[in-house]
Amino acid sequence: MQTRYFSTGLAPLELEISYRTLFSTGKKHYTNELAFLVVVRGEASLNLNGSELLLAAGDFCLVQPYHIRYFQLPSHQHLELIEIRFSLGLALLLSQNKQAYNSIMQKFQKFFPIVKINDTYLQTITNYCRWIITENQSTKSSLTQLNLSLIAFLSSIYTTAIPQARKVQLKSNAGSSLQLLQIYHQEKLSIQKLADKLQISTADFAQNIQQLTNQTPKQQLNQVRIRNAAALMIFDDLSLNAIGRICGFQSEANFYKQFHLQYQQTPQSYRQYLINLQNQLVSLDGVKIIGYLLEHYSENLNLAQTATDLKTAPTKIQQLVKKDFNCTFKSLITDLSLNLAQNYLINSDLTINQICLKSGFQDLNTFTRNYKKKFHCTPSLTQKKAIQKKRC
């Protein structure tokens, strides 16, 4: 079976959500992005790097760019799943720390965790994805905050459940060569070193990469390094030279040369392109702030407590929020809470009072007033329209 390579060309902070119903065995492929897979209904075998993994309703897993995969379905059966494909810009939030990044990547070298989520989490993820799709269709604008929040939410569920997850041992085969090259791309590599790790000859290693990618190991390594470098450029507190070093380039000249070969522009011009895209550059501290707010949004959040928990001065937090999200700290909390409230109104069976409290508002009048100001309708009208739409 021929291996296909796919890339949706996502911008660094973009993601793509698809609801899929599979009725037959798929094509063998790998992608340039990561993807969370959430099985909604049915069961099928996921062939991952030559290993067969049985997935059923409630199974939740993360596939990496080095995972060569396809679904195998028995006749007269189907599988319903949600695929959240996202760029490395949303995934490499820890990559400025080489040691931490390598530690995370190497955990998945020998096994593949499959997390089982309950019906509540399954429904929440489904609703969350529907909400982002609806927002994308209605606003046609940057959804950086929502995209970050979804990936942060899914990552939190996944990493928390990994100790109890079903861990499948992956076979060592041609796919292992691609996996190893991507995991260790930050190091000073040689084909001999990688081949020794798999206990195969350098010729076999090169042949594995050539068969899978139609590239030499050196070409594939440069592609992986530049892909990750492009993703890291969303973090404006990382210099271009630092990004090159993080991604494994030993010289600035080679980094710039390889970047131009893949993107037909310099790293500086690509970063300028990101600046011109609304909300495509953020700081690492800005990401930490939004992550904290998403974790604690249902509480009575305030600047002082947030500053204490994040070990950052209140004035620094205000400056970061203004720079990264172009608003005040208070308005960021309010906007985030209202967005989450709208999701609950459309996709949950909670009462408006319950949604008010769950979204972090202390009284119904304040909630209704702010909601009407943002969405130009009342919470009750939003909920009523959602119920009517479901009945149609």
Side-chain angles (χ1 to χ4, degrees), residues 364-378:
L364 189 58
N365 288 335
T366 302
F367 170 54
T368 302
R369 184 176 66 253
N370 282 279
Y371 189 93
K372 190 174 181 180
K373 181 179 178 181
K374 177 176 175 63
F375 296 110
H376 308 292
C377 68
T378 62

Side-chain angles (χ1 to χ4, degrees), residues 331-376:
S331 61
L332 178 61
I333 294 175
T334 301
D335 193 55
L336 178 62
S337 297
L338 290 171
N339 283 333
L340 293 166
Q342 185 190 50
N343 178 43
Y344 285 126
L345 288 166
I346 294 172
N347 296 305
S348 78
D349 296 323
L350 298 174
T351 67
I352 291 177
N353 280 329
Q354 289 173 326
I355 291 170
C356 169
L357 295 174
K358 193 174 182 65
S359 302
F361 290 93
Q362 302 305 304
D363 68 88
L364 189 58
N365 288 335
T366 302
F367 170 54
T368 302
R369 184 176 66 253
N370 282 279
Y371 189 93
K372 190 174 181 180
K373 181 179 178 181
K374 177 176 175 63
F375 296 110
H376 308 292

Side-chain angles (χ1 to χ4, degrees), residues 6 19 24 82 97 99 103-104 108 151 156 166-168 178 208 211 225 234 255 260 273 340 359:
F6 295 113
Y19 289 80
S24 60
I82 304 171
N97 184 320
Q99 185 176 2
S103 175
I104 292 169
F108 302 103
I151 298 304
S156 176
R166 174 162 55 104
K167 300 178 180 67
V168 180
L178 181 62
N208 288 342
Q211 287 177 344
R225 284 173 169 172
I234 59 171
F255 170 47
H260 193 276
Y273 157 75
L340 293 166
S359 302

Side-chain angles (χ1 to χ4, degrees), residues 139-203:
T139 64
K140 302 296 182 183
S141 61
S142 174
L143 298 174
T144 298
Q145 187 187 112
L146 297 184
N147 291 348
L148 282 170
S149 69
L150 176 61
I151 298 304
F153 175 66
L154 295 175
S155 298
S156 176
I157 296 174
Y158 187 71
T159 54
T160 301
I162 279 179
Q164 291 77 41
R166 174 162 55 104
K167 300 178 180 67
V168 180
Q169 188 81 23
L170 298 180
K171 294 179 180 178
S172 179
N173 58 8
S176 301
S177 299
L178 181 62
Q179 178 177 345
L180 206 64
L181 184 146
Q182 296 208 23
I183 287 177
Y184 291 99
H185 74 274
Q186 293 179 306
E187 299 183 10
K188 187 176 181 179
L189 292 178
S190 67
I191 298 178
Q192 184 67 60
K193 182 177 180 180
L194 293 172
D196 288 346
K197 287 181 179 291
L198 294 175
Q199 297 181 330
I200 60 177
S201 68
T202 56

